[in-house]
Amino acid sequence: MTFPLLVVIHETLVSAEDSILLHGDPNYYASYHSLIHRNGKITYLTPADCKAYAAAQSSFTDPFGEVQDVKGSVDDFAYHIVLETPPDGIETPKSDYHIGYTKEQYTSLAWLCSSVGVQRGRIVTHGEITNPKTLEPRCFNFDYFSEIYEVNKKTIRKSINLGILDYE
């Protein structure tokens, strides 16, 4: 069974530079497709047509409340985007609060999601797909993101082809 593209949003818990270094470590347990820095810069980490390993054992409940049978993980059809954690979140990684993400991060995230052509109902946080539930990314403002995303969706045409993850 194939599924439409799912975008999963994560946070680094470390600086962007440290996250990039970890991503290159073969003993590190997670990988992402894109990293969005605090200033909005996007660093592509894993080619879009390759699988990133960021969701572990996971499932997805679609916008209609139906749990999708994904055979263990959404990684086979997910595009993983990680947001750089703000400095106060790095200092307190076990806390459920930090100052949040920058306008530039939300703008880049909305542009990237619009550019890959994903439907809004298929953009989720890591906390929404993991079992047991996690609080990641912390302090994510979905209402603010949705406002920017809706504007972008009207003006930005799909321009990034995700290869094997693509679903038109």
Side-chain angles (χ1 to χ4, degrees), residues 36-129:
I36 301 178
H37 300 249
R38 301 277 301 151
N39 65 4
K41 174 185 166 187
I42 299 172
T43 299
Y44 298 98
L45 300 169
T46 300
D49 62 347
C50 295
K51 183 176 181 177
Y53 295 88
Q57 291 289 57
S58 54
S59 62
F60 173 66
T61 303
D62 69 22
F64 306 104
E66 297 291 322
V67 176
Q68 304 294 307
D69 179 12
V70 298
K71 305 292 185 229
S73 179
V74 300
D75 285 339
D76 289 331
F77 60 95
Y79 186 80
H80 296 283
I81 301 171
V82 64
L83 300 171
E84 180 181 10
T85 300
D88 69 321
I90 294 169
E91 295 164 8
T92 57
K94 300 239 186 261
S95 169
D96 61 359
Y97 178 81
H98 56 57
I99 62 170
Y101 306 100
T102 65
K103 175 185 176 194
E104 293 81 6
Q105 283 176 296
Y106 283 107
T107 300
S108 292
L109 178 62
W111 174 85
L112 188 54
C113 289
S114 297
S115 295
V116 300
V118 68
Q119 300 165 10
R120 170 59 192 86
R122 297 199 55 91
I123 302 170
V124 298
T125 65
H126 187 220
E128 292 177 84
I129 59 155

